[in-house]
């Protein structure tokens, strides 16, 4: 997810100055890490141990990081935490048990809300930035008890198109099972409907190996996602139209990056025309948005999950 610094009222170089950083998560060490976009200056800013962090976003204007902790996937102890950008002042936004197994996380800056997928909880959820009003927007359980056992119902990746009032998410399906799907629905539940019986849900792509995290290029109407299933279609980064039914039939997703060791996190720097990707093998990669100019920025850094790119205002 790309986060831009707030616009200055007075056009001076000092007030416009920003510094770009990557923030990423290690599920193996329970750490929040920060680095320059070229992989240099890697540092640990939060170390919590075995709480299994997975999704991360930055609120640059407020100077906050938010991340999900999956906790024990068989227990109802998932949580969302917040800290300052240097890792200080950690606090719970969603306390343990407020969600089962929270995965990718997204920030709605305009409406000051967090959205995430709850994997074993089989749902899509949101909360106000102060932790109030936890809501379930989509319930895929079909009456199954939580934690859910049917991997086809597991919600994993999420991304928002706030201006259009839409959210997108993945349901990964069984490991390497070719039953992964990518969905879209309105941000708000249609009047008179419930999270479990919504009629506005669209399947955009299906029969995917194992889709994980999502990002959007709204200007070009493209969806990007990681897939950790088997090659040749898995262990990849894919992109496809946000409107697959337009034109001459549904176009197949384009594989633009391969040879990942179980790809998980993805972040787009749209202004810079590049993407950043993590995998469970412990690598961080960068590439152009078409997959060219591939670079390995970090390697053997444990098991990496979520990643985000942020432009942080520089103090003057």
């Amino acid at each position: 997810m790309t986060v831009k610094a707030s616009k200055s009222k007075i056009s001076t170089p000092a007030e416009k100055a920003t510094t770009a950083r990557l923030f990423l998560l290690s599920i193996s060490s329970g750490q929040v890490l920060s680095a320059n976009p070229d992989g240099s200056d890697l540092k640990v800013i939060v170390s919590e141990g075995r709480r299994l962090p997975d999704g991360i976003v930055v609120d640059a204007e407020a100077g906050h990081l938010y991340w999900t902790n999956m906790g024990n996937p068989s227990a109802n102890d998932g949580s969302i935490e917040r800290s300052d950008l240097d890792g200080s002042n950690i606090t719970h936004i969603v306390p343990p048990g407020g969600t089962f197994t929270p995965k990718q996380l997204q920030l709605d800056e305009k409406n000051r809300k967090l959205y995430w997928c709850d994997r074993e909880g089989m749902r899509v959820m949101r909360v106000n930035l102060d932790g109030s009003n936890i809501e379930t927007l989509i319930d895929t359980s079909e009456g199954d008890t939580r934690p859910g056992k049917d991997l086809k119902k597991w919600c994993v990746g999420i991304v928002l198109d706030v201006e259009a009032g839409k959210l997108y998410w993945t349901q990964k399906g069984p490991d390497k099972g070719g039953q992964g799907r990518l969905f879209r629905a309105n941000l708000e539940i249609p009047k008179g409907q419930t999270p479990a019986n919504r009629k506005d849900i669209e399947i955009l792509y299906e029969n995917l190996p194992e889709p994980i995290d999502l990002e959007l290029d709204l200007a070009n109407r493209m969806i990007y996602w990681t897939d950790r299933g088997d090659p040749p279609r898995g262990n990849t980064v894919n992109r496809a139209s946000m409107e697959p039914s337009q034109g001459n039939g549904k176009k197949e997703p384009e594989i633009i990056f391969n040879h990942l060791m179980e790809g998980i996190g993805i972040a787009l720097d749209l202004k810079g025309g590049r993407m950043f990707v993590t995998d469970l093998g412990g690598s961080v990669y960068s590439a152009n948005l078409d997959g060219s100019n591939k670079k390995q920025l970090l390697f053997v850094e444990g098991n990496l999950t979520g990643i985000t790119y942020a432009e942080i205002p520089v103090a003057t």
Side-chain angles (χ1 to χ4, degrees):
M1 180 177 182
T2 304
V3 183
K4 295 182 179 178
S6 58
K7 292 182 180 178
S8 171
K9 294 180 181 179
I10 302 174
S11 181
T12 65
E15 289 188 334
K16 285 186 175 181
T18 61
T19 183
R21 296 291 290 184
L22 296 175
F23 295 89
L24 56 148
L25 301 170
S26 169
I27 194 173
S28 52
S29 62
Q31 294 174 332
V32 180
L33 309 168
S34 176
N36 288 324
D38 64 0
S40 64
D41 192 33
L42 179 67
K43 60 181 71 173
V44 176
I45 57 175
V46 176
S47 185
E48 293 192 298
R50 295 287 295 171
R51 301 185 68 183
L52 306 186
D54 188 84
I56 186 166
V57 292
V58 175
D59 183 350
E61 184 176 347
H64 289 148
L65 293 172
Y66 296 86
W67 67 95
T68 60
N69 283 316
M70 293 189 290
N72 180 348
S74 64
N76 188 16
D77 64 351
S79 62
I80 297 177
E81 297 191 64
R82 185 191 72 203
S83 76
D84 294 343
L85 295 178
D86 63 0
S88 62
N89 296 318
I90 297 174
T91 185
H92 276 109
I93 299 302
V94 175
T99 180
F100 253 90
T101 318
K103 299 291 286 178
Q104 191 177 12
L105 183 69
Q106 295 288 1
L107 170 67
D108 174 356
E109 295 180 85
K110 179 180 178 180
N111 299 298
R112 313 305 291 163
K113 292 178 181 289
L114 295 169
Y115 287 73
W116 71 97
C117 277
D118 183 353
R119 191 179 64 189
E120 273 84 353
M122 302 172 288
R123 55 195 168 182
V124 176
M125 305 181 73
R126 72 179 173 192
V127 69
N128 294 334
L129 291 188
D130 63 1
S132 63
N133 195 27
I134 299 175
E135 298 177 86
T136 295
L137 301 177
I138 293 162
D139 183 340
T140 66
S141 69
E142 298 178 319
D144 290 357
T145 57
R146 299 180 173 90
K149 305 301 182 185
D150 184 350
L151 279 66
K152 199 173 180 182
K153 298 177 180 179
W154 284 5
C155 304
V156 179
I158 187 170
V159 71
L160 311 175
D161 181 356
V162 174
E163 294 306 315
K166 300 289 185 179
L167 62 86
Y168 297 73
W169 75 98
T170 60
Q171 290 175 213
K172 77 181 197 69
D175 294 350
K176 306 170 181 62
Q179 298 182 52
R181 293 170 291 169
L182 201 162
F183 296 84
R184 174 170 62 196
N186 295 319
L187 287 174
E188 303 302 331
I189 300 172
K191 190 172 182 179
Q193 298 176 27
T194 70
N197 71 7
R198 299 178 60 149
K199 304 297 189 294
D200 62 330
I201 295 174
E202 305 171 71
I203 298 179
L204 299 185
Y205 296 95
E206 54 189 333
N207 302 318
L208 304 174
E210 198 178 345
I212 306 296
D213 284 1
L214 290 167
E215 282 293 342
L216 294 179
D217 177 356
L218 291 173
N220 294 298
R221 305 301 294 169
M222 298 293 287
I223 314 171
Y224 287 72
W225 70 89
T226 53
D227 197 302
R228 62 180 289 194
D230 275 343
R233 293 182 63 203
N235 281 317
T236 55
V237 176
N238 303 259
R239 68 177 178 183
S241 172
M242 292 171 63
E243 308 299 338
S245 60
Q246 291 184 1
N248 298 321
K250 184 177 287 190
K251 293 184 178 179
E252 286 296 314
E254 176 189 6
I255 295 173
I256 56 173
F257 196 115
N258 54 20
H259 302 305
L260 295 171
M261 295 293 290
E262 299 196 64
I264 302 292
I266 183 169
L268 302 185
D269 169 17
L270 295 172
K271 185 170 68 175
R274 57 184 173 171
M275 61 182 170
F276 300 91
V277 181
T278 61
D279 65 21
L280 288 181
S283 294
V284 178
Y285 298 93
S286 68
N288 295 337
L289 292 179
D290 63 0
S292 63
N293 194 28
K294 179 178 175 180
K295 298 177 183 176
Q296 188 175 28
L297 306 179
L298 297 167
F299 60 96
V300 196
E301 292 293 342
N303 305 125
L304 301 180
T305 50
I307 188 169
T308 192
Y309 169 87
E311 294 177 4
I312 308 296
V314 175
T316 58

